[in-house]
Amino acid sequence: ITDRFDDHNRHYLVMEYVEGRNLEEELAARGGPLPEGLVIDIARQLCDVLGYLHGTTPTLVYRDMKPSNVMLTPKGKVMLVDFGIARLFKTARKGTMIGTLGFAPPEQYQGVVDPRSDIYSLGATLHYVLTGRDPEKFPPFSFPPVRDLRPEVSTNLAAAIDAALAYEADARPATIQEFCDMLLYGRGIGVGGAKPSV
């Protein structure tokens, strides 16, 4: 976002043009799930973006992570777009229920969000692009373990995504860095809610 302004009670954000396709379009173009290596690279880059947002003071919670808001450029760079419902995080403050069915975490439906809400939505996004199972077409908050759908996926990636999708926020990785360390290095797998896939 490079600028913002108001005009006659309408609010505008100015953003750079991003060449490429969003992840929804990428899935359609490939005719199925994305390769594991690409998903890991996308996840790593999104962890960097969320790490930056969550590290601001006050913390910025994105609130709308989903494949159609993640652009992939021809050079493989990931860009997060559409900050329309992002908000500053304030402890113990309730807001409006907003987000995308299938990708928004349970607590967001009660108007409660914190950085772990973005971790859930990232897990839902990665689950979809890795397995091809669109969560909008199934009952909310029902994600089969990754390796039930793609047994060949690495333990670290599958366990990190499964842990991010815990129904209770306290059972998810506490920070985006913990999620990233689990995904890339297997740290924390088998601790708390994060179980290795067999």
Side-chain angles (χ1 to χ4, degrees):
I1 298 171
T2 57
D3 198 5
R4 65 182 175 85
F5 60 92
D6 303 313
D7 183 42
H8 294 92
N9 206 28
R10 290 181 186 247
H11 308 283
Y12 298 88
L13 297 175
V14 180
M15 297 177 278
E16 68 179 288
Y17 172 74
V18 180
E19 183 184 358
R21 295 192 281 237
N22 67 40
L23 295 185
E24 192 81 55
E25 295 165 335
E26 191 67 29
L27 277 173
R30 290 174 182 258
L34 304 184
E36 179 176 348
L38 178 59
V39 172
I40 290 171
D41 189 44
I42 290 167
R44 183 189 52 74
Q45 292 185 62
L46 288 173
C47 285
D48 287 347
V49 173
L50 291 177
Y52 173 79
L53 295 177
H54 296 171
T56 60
T57 305
T59 298
L60 185 63
V61 181
Y62 178 65
R63 298 201 309 165
D64 203 20
M65 180 71 68
K66 58 184 176 181
S68 60
N69 282 346
V70 179
M71 297 290 295
L72 187 61
T73 72
K75 292 185 176 177
K77 185 175 181 184
V78 169
M79 305 283 282
L80 191 57
V81 300
D82 192 358
F83 279 71
I85 67 168
R87 69 178 299 158
L88 299 176
F89 171 62
K90 294 183 179 166
T91 307
R93 178 181 165 191
K94 284 198 169 192
T96 54
M97 192 307 284
I98 198 161
T100 301
L101 185 67
F103 295 95
E107 65 272 13
Q108 205 159 308
Y109 288 83
Q110 295 151 10
V112 177
V113 294
D114 72 19
R116 294 169 301 177
S117 305
D118 281 344
I119 293 171
Y120 179 96
S121 297
L122 175 58
T125 297
L126 297 175
H127 191 283
Y128 179 24
V129 299
L130 188 63
T131 67
R133 181 186 181 276
D134 185 348
E136 292 186 77
K137 296 179 179 170
F138 294 89
F141 323 123
S142 65
F143 289 89
V146 169
R147 290 181 88 185
D148 285 1
L149 303 175
R150 282 195 67 186
E152 75 281 9
V153 169
S154 68
T155 299
N156 291 1
L157 178 59
I161 292 172
D162 293 344
L165 290 168
Y167 187 88
E168 297 293 336
D170 288 343
R172 297 176 205 147
T175 66
I176 195 65
Q177 189 59 55
E178 279 187 26
F179 172 78
C180 192
D181 288 348
M182 184 181 291
L183 173 98
L184 297 178
Y185 312 114
R187 291 188 190 135
I189 292 177
V191 177
K195 303 281 189 276
S197 304
V198 228

